[in-house]
Amino acid sequence: AQNADGSLRILWVGSGTMKGVFKNLFQAGNEVVALDLLRPDATEISAATTYAAEHGYQLRFEQGDATKLKFADGAFDVVVCSMFLCQDFDPEVVVGEIRRVLKPGGRFGFYEHVEDIDKLIVGKVFGERSVIRVQAYPEMTNVIAGVVRKV
């Protein structure tokens, strides 16, 4: 989802304790906004932002509800989430909000284990024309990963 020229503004939905930062999820030069309903503790935020700075990108945490994103329409180049859409909310609402905050041509990258989540993301919210890549890994408990583009 982050394959593009220049710096990107990225929304990381469902960042949790921000441990995902240490898996080299983000590229140098980008601005990343980590969003979760629950606020990580100060030590976790400090460790994640320090790691990001050392790896050449900006990272900040914002507490917020993914069903009601407080960002303007078209505010992000990329939105990513991992194992998040299985939470206790309507995933169609969250994916709709993700689509809303993406710029035209922006990309949404996801890694989920919710059965048929690709049908919701691709079929209902983004549409078939949006697919860049969707892959299923049934041997990994129905994991589905993909990237779609806002058209």
Side-chain angles (χ1 to χ4, degrees):
Q2 297 178 58
N3 288 341
D5 294 330
S7 62
L8 299 171
R9 188 157 190 247
I10 300 169
L11 177 61
W12 176 19
V13 179
S15 59
T17 61
M18 300 175 69
K19 285 188 170 67
V21 165
F22 305 106
K23 296 178 182 178
N24 294 321
L25 293 179
F26 306 106
Q27 300 170 1
N30 293 334
E31 173 194 356
V32 180
V33 177
L35 178 109
D36 204 282
L37 192 58
L38 301 176
R39 184 173 192 79
D41 68 35
T43 303
E44 292 166 330
I45 291 174
S46 177
T49 55
T50 298
Y51 180 90
E54 290 170 351
H55 288 81
Y57 63 93
Q58 298 174 16
L59 173 68
R60 79 176 196 284
F61 176 82
E62 290 200 21
Q63 192 168 12
D65 182 348
T67 65
K68 300 174 199 136
L69 293 173
K70 58 186 172 183
F71 306 105
D73 295 0
F76 293 93
D77 301 293
V78 174
V79 178
V80 295
C81 73
S82 177
M83 301 298 186
F84 177 73
L85 297 174
C86 59
Q87 304 298 317
D88 191 23
F89 51 70
D90 182 349
E92 188 172 349
V93 171
V94 173
V95 175
E97 280 290 280
I98 287 169
R99 186 179 187 288
R100 180 185 65 76
V101 301
L102 274 173
K103 293 178 179 176
R107 295 175 177 205
F108 171 43
F110 59 93
Y111 183 87
E112 298 293 336
H113 65 94
V114 177
E115 189 174 337
D116 295 332
I117 196 67
D118 58 323
K119 289 178 179 63
L120 170 87
I121 293 169
V122 174
K124 283 186 149 183
V125 179
F126 279 86
E128 288 293 329
R129 291 181 42 228
S130 69
V131 174
I132 294 172
R133 183 180 65 235
V134 175
Q135 293 176 280
Y137 304 94
E139 69 281 3
M140 297 174 63
T141 318
N142 295 320
V143 167
I144 296 172
V147 177
V148 294
R149 180 185 309 108
K150 181 177 178 179
V151 291

